[in-house]
Amino acid sequence: MTAQKVTIEPVTRIEGHAKVTIHLNDAGKVERAYLHVNEFRGFEKFCEGRMVFEMQAITPRICGICPVSHHLAASKAGDVVLGCPPPRPASLLRELMHMGQVIQSHGMHFFELAGPDLLLGFDCDPAVRNVVGLIQANPELAVKAVALRKYGQEIIRILGGRRVHPVFSIPGGVNKALKPAERDTILAGLGETISTLQTGIAVMKDWAERNMEDIQRFAVFPTGYLGLVTPNNSLELYHGDIRLISKTGEQLEKFSAQNYLDYIAEHVENWSYLKFPYYKKLGWPQGVYRVGPLGRLNIAEQIDTPLANAELKIFKTLNGGRPVENTLYYHYARLIEALFAAERVQVLLDDPDILSTDILNTRQDFKGEGVGVIEAPRGTLIHHYWAEPNGQIKRVNLIVSTGHNNWAMSQAVDSVAKTYITGPEIREGLLNRVEAAIRAYDPCLSCSTHAVGQMPIQVDILNPDGSLRQTLRRD
């Protein structure tokens, strides 16, 4: 048998576009697999020259599935640049919108994007292994999943006027107060939302119990973990310090987001447009870490809401009290976070300040530079702006959530390919496992544009001389 290269392009059921190349040796064993992020966006450069108060409308166009995260991170950076911290009611309203974003994004990913693999099976016919197949297999659960995402989107719409690319948060606060009737509308759907998330957690636990062999060998590897925490190291998604722990769980750093450049650097490889962040003191690649749901639950010592905290205690036992390294447990962590977000909605709506009209600070003490950090559904999102005294942006640095996980996604692809593809036959289900390693991280590789309908996929297997050996196609 001659050496081969297998290409998966595009990777499906993620936000954005990427491909995977799997290099096989003469015996049909995997030598190395690569994740290639092969789209180029350039937002950092073409935001130069814009005004700092425009960034809340421009940067959400980076992403069509989590624009709220960029919207709020841009506002938080603008708060610092212009020296206008928002009043407390405005911060509560921003966080409320963010909780809606977490609920809708995490819910959609578990049920609609990752769900076909987990609930129908990695080896299920790809003609069935999709959201339509889920509806046919369990219509009651599918309806609940749609309602879950709708609930999160409705929070965003009520506050921001529309479900995608809202117009709400501005430097110094927000532009709309919450009305009592709107609060009551959000509260009315909260019980069903929590119930659906608890159902999702039960589904995930049942799947994990039946598929423990896969969980224990599917891209399990040590890294550091990074994310925001409260002062007492509780889970935090909106505002806090950044905590970094080692692969064994010891705290390496806890620092203000404004100082992230003292701790984080970025590495470049010639096979991807996406950079590789790492912890400076350990260097590359020893300083790699993971973010997002798995990372956040590993760095959090507790959760300040009762239902999610009870689940966190179970999560913490999965690896004997050490950080959980199993890539497939991203899905469990994602649901726990969504449950926390739903409980947090209740806390925010019960706060008397949530209905206040004191929502904008118009006084400014111009600083010229500022960092806005938020925990987007996919991980820690950093916006860093430098501006002229008139507010015109002269430099932008963005570390997008998925960027932090770039090394981990690449490692997961390589690990899963080597574990499951043992040759000589290469089945579609094995290639789907490689894609599922990427989906576990719920990457957003820009996701501003999508094809309508099912994305075609073609996998070409080539001989060393470049001639075509075999083609697997889905039209």
Side-chain angles (χ1 to χ4, degrees):
M1 181 178 181
T2 56
Q4 305 174 27
K5 181 176 78 171
V6 179
T7 301
I8 305 173
E9 184 176 14
V11 177
T12 57
R13 281 185 275 133
I14 63 170
E15 289 80 46
H17 302 286
K19 72 175 181 179
V20 172
T21 58
I22 304 170
H23 299 257
L24 309 178
N25 61 21
D26 291 345
K29 304 292 186 181
V30 176
E31 287 189 342
R32 180 69 193 272
Y34 295 92
L35 169 65
H36 306 272
V37 180
N38 51 2
E39 59 181 342
F40 181 77
R41 301 287 284 161
F43 265 81
E44 290 173 321
K45 290 302 293 182
F46 67 66
C47 283
E48 292 177 4
R50 308 303 302 188
M51 304 301 291
V52 68
F53 52 78
E54 293 180 303
M55 299 298 280
Q56 301 79 45
I58 294 174
T59 58
R61 270 66 185 180
I62 293 172
C63 173
I65 197 64
C66 53
V68 170
S69 301
H70 288 284
H71 179 64
L72 296 176
S75 294
K76 293 180 75 175
D79 295 339
V80 183
V81 171
L82 299 179
C84 51
R88 183 174 184 273
S91 293
L92 295 177
L93 290 169
R94 287 181 181 180
E95 185 181 356
L96 178 61
M97 174 176 275
H98 187 46
M99 294 305 102
Q101 164 69 9
V102 171
I103 292 167
Q104 71 91 12
S105 181
H106 278 356
M108 181 188 71
H109 185 77
F110 179 76
F111 288 106
E112 281 91 353
L113 299 182
D117 296 326
L118 303 181
L119 304 180
L120 301 178
F122 291 116
D123 296 304
C124 180
D125 182 350
V128 178
R129 195 182 61 226
N130 50 50
V131 67
V132 176
L134 280 181
I135 294 172
Q136 294 171 341
N138 194 332
E140 181 181 356
L141 182 62
V143 169
K144 289 182 178 180
V146 171
L148 177 66
R149 184 172 188 232
K150 181 180 179 181
Y151 178 78
Q153 289 181 311
E154 190 65 6
I155 293 176
I156 298 168
R157 185 200 65 79
I158 287 172
L159 295 171
R162 51 193 183 193
R163 295 177 177 85
V164 180
H165 303 315
V167 181
F168 177 63
S169 186
I170 54 179
V174 297
N175 60 18
K176 176 184 178 294
L178 183 69
K179 299 176 182 177
E182 294 171 330
R183 179 194 59 186
D184 294 343
T185 296
I186 298 172
L187 282 171
L190 189 55
E192 181 182 353
T193 294
I194 290 175
S195 176
T196 299
L197 288 168
Q198 290 175 315
T199 298
I201 289 173
V203 168
M204 177 63 204
K205 286 179 175 177
D206 177 68
W207 181 87
E209 184 177 349
R210 290 182 288 104
N211 293 272
M212 190 54 63
E213 181 181 352
D214 269 328
I215 288 175
Q216 297 297 353
R217 68 187 188 126
F218 191 104
V220 182
F221 49 82
T223 62
Y225 300 94
L226 179 144
L228 295 181
V229 291
T230 68
N232 66 344
N233 291 338
S234 293
L235 176 66
E236 176 59 57
L237 300 179
Y238 178 72
H239 187 75
D241 286 333
I242 295 176
R243 187 179 193 225
L244 173 67
I245 65 170
S246 71
K247 61 185 179 182
T248 56
E250 291 81 15
Q251 180 171 299
L252 296 174
E253 304 285 357
K254 190 174 181 181
F255 56 92
S256 166
Q258 301 300 313
N259 302 323
Y260 77 99
L261 285 177
D262 294 335
Y263 303 91
I264 298 173
E266 295 178 279
H267 176 76
V268 176
E269 292 284 354
N270 61 8
W271 40 268
S272 178
Y273 280 126
L274 189 60
K275 293 181 284 188
F276 296 79
Y278 63 93
Y279 173 46
K280 281 184 174 181
K281 291 183 181 179
L282 290 181
W284 171 265
Q286 291 76 18
V288 296
Y289 54 82
R290 283 188 267 185
V291 300
L294 189 76
R296 289 187 289 248
L297 293 199
N298 275 328
I299 65 167
E301 296 177 356
Q302 61 272 321
I303 297 178
D304 293 336
T305 59
L307 297 177
N309 193 54
E311 289 296 336
L312 179 66
K313 290 178 180 178
I314 297 172
F315 177 88
K316 292 290 188 181
T317 68
L318 295 176
N319 195 25
R322 291 167 59 90
V324 177
E325 300 173 344
N326 314 65
T327 292
L328 286 174
Y329 276 135
Y330 257 95
H331 301 304
Y332 182 27
R334 188 169 285 117
L335 290 170
I336 295 173
E337 284 194 337
L339 181 59
F340 162 71
E343 290 184 283
R344 185 66 186 159
V345 167
Q346 180 77 63
V347 173
L348 291 166
L349 293 178
D350 286 345
D351 193 303
D353 280 348
I354 200 73
L355 297 177
S356 172
T357 57
D358 180 20
I359 56 173
L360 182 62
N361 176 13
T362 59
R363 298 181 179 180
Q364 296 185 0
D365 180 17
F366 183 78
K367 304 298 183 184
E369 179 183 352
V371 177
V373 176
I374 198 168
E375 285 296 331
R378 289 145 191 85
T380 312
L381 173 63
I382 300 173
H383 281 224
H384 189 178
Y385 307 154
W386 292 259
E388 302 287 359
N390 66 353
Q392 189 175 33
I393 297 286
K394 58 184 179 181
R395 183 183 171 195
V396 173
N397 187 46
L398 304 174
I399 302 183
V400 180
S401 309
T402 297
H404 294 285
N405 278 334
N406 194 15
W407 181 90
M409 290 190 299
S410 299
Q411 176 70 12
V413 163
D414 187 56
S415 174
V416 170
K418 289 174 177 174
T419 299
Y420 290 92
I421 300 176
T422 57
E425 181 186 6
I426 302 175
R427 295 181 288 105
E428 189 278 339
L430 301 180
L431 298 179
N432 182 51
R433 283 171 170 80
V434 176
E435 291 190 71
I438 304 169
R439 290 188 203 111
Y441 292 87
D442 189 17
C444 181
L445 305 174
S446 82
C447 55
S448 292
T449 57
H450 291 279
V452 176
Q454 179 173 266
M455 186 82 74
I457 182 171
Q458 176 175 312
V459 177
D460 292 332
I461 302 174
L462 306 179
N463 293 314
D465 63 2
S467 60
L468 182 65
R469 182 183 183 90
Q470 182 184 357
T471 296
L472 304 174
R473 182 191 305 274
R474 183 185 71 201
D475 295 321

